[in-house]
Amino acid sequence: MGLPRRVGDAAELRKSLKPLLEKRRRARINQSLSQLKGLVLPLLGAETSNYSKLEKADILEMTVRFLQEQPASSCPAVGAEPLDSYLEGYRACLARLARVLPACTILEPAVSARLLEHLRRRTASTTCDGWRAGDSVDGSSQMPPPAPAPVPSPPVPPGSPGLWRPW
């Protein structure tokens, strides 16, 4: 089958493909509903042999009812607090940085190791409820955060440009 030569040919092609596309779409819907039925019925404690011929609407209603009965705590993405989400993102970013930074040629290995260690300490200093020790809810600190122990810089060999700074 070649490309349509006229506008009428394109319309005819579209008209002839429409039933085939609709048949495929319905087959996908039916297969998804069958999978959904296979997943939901055991979770509801119902035997699949008793429900061999359910209507599509029944499968959807059972699924909706099952999901509504689930406690909110079992869906972490729905009820996640912003701070928890922030910490998850921070940890994911730190993990990615730990993979990428060692291959980075801009920073010396000692500098990148110090940077990663500093970021890991910041993550470790976060308490289980998401706040760093001394932080209050309104963002003000009752105590200043502990100062990190000074880490001596590695000696810069003479003639090297040192660490690049944007200012």
Side-chain angles (χ1 to χ4, degrees):
M1 179 167 25
L3 293 174
R5 295 190 179 130
R6 293 180 295 148
V7 176
D9 290 344
E12 287 176 30
L13 179 64
R14 217 178 3 251
K15 200 181 264 188
S16 66
L17 288 179
K18 188 174 181 179
L20 180 63
L21 294 174
E22 181 65 18
K23 184 177 180 180
R24 287 182 184 167
R25 186 185 71 83
R26 287 176 185 249
R28 282 184 24 233
I29 291 171
N30 289 335
Q31 183 173 2
S32 295
L33 282 168
S34 175
Q35 289 176 348
L36 190 58
K37 178 177 131 182
L39 291 170
V40 170
L41 286 178
L43 293 173
L44 292 173
E47 268 189 49
T48 55
S49 61
N50 295 342
Y51 294 97
S52 62
K53 196 68 176 163
L54 279 174
E55 288 186 12
K56 296 173 186 178
D58 293 332
I59 296 170
L60 291 173
E61 286 172 356
M62 291 170 71
T63 304
V64 168
R65 198 173 322 119
F66 172 76
L67 290 173
Q68 286 174 341
E69 291 171 359
Q70 296 302 306
S73 63
S74 67
C75 299
V78 174
E81 291 188 25
L83 188 59
D84 293 337
S85 173
Y86 173 81
L87 289 173
E88 287 176 28
Y90 186 91
R91 289 183 183 120
C93 182
L94 181 60
R96 177 180 267 174
L97 191 60
R99 285 191 312 267
V100 173
L101 201 56
C104 179
T105 58
I106 295 174
L107 294 177
E108 295 177 13
V111 174
S112 60
R114 278 193 3 233
L115 175 62
L116 284 174
E117 183 56 35
H118 170 74
L119 293 173
R120 285 188 180 116
R121 271 189 269 133
R122 295 282 297 178
T123 304
S125 70
T126 305
T127 62
C128 63
D129 63 354
W131 297 100
R132 282 183 305 172
D135 283 356
S136 65
V137 176
D138 64 357
S140 64
S141 276
Q142 296 164 347
M143 302 174 31
V151 178
S153 298
V156 177
S160 73
L163 182 64
W164 177 82
R165 292 189 174 91
W167 56 88

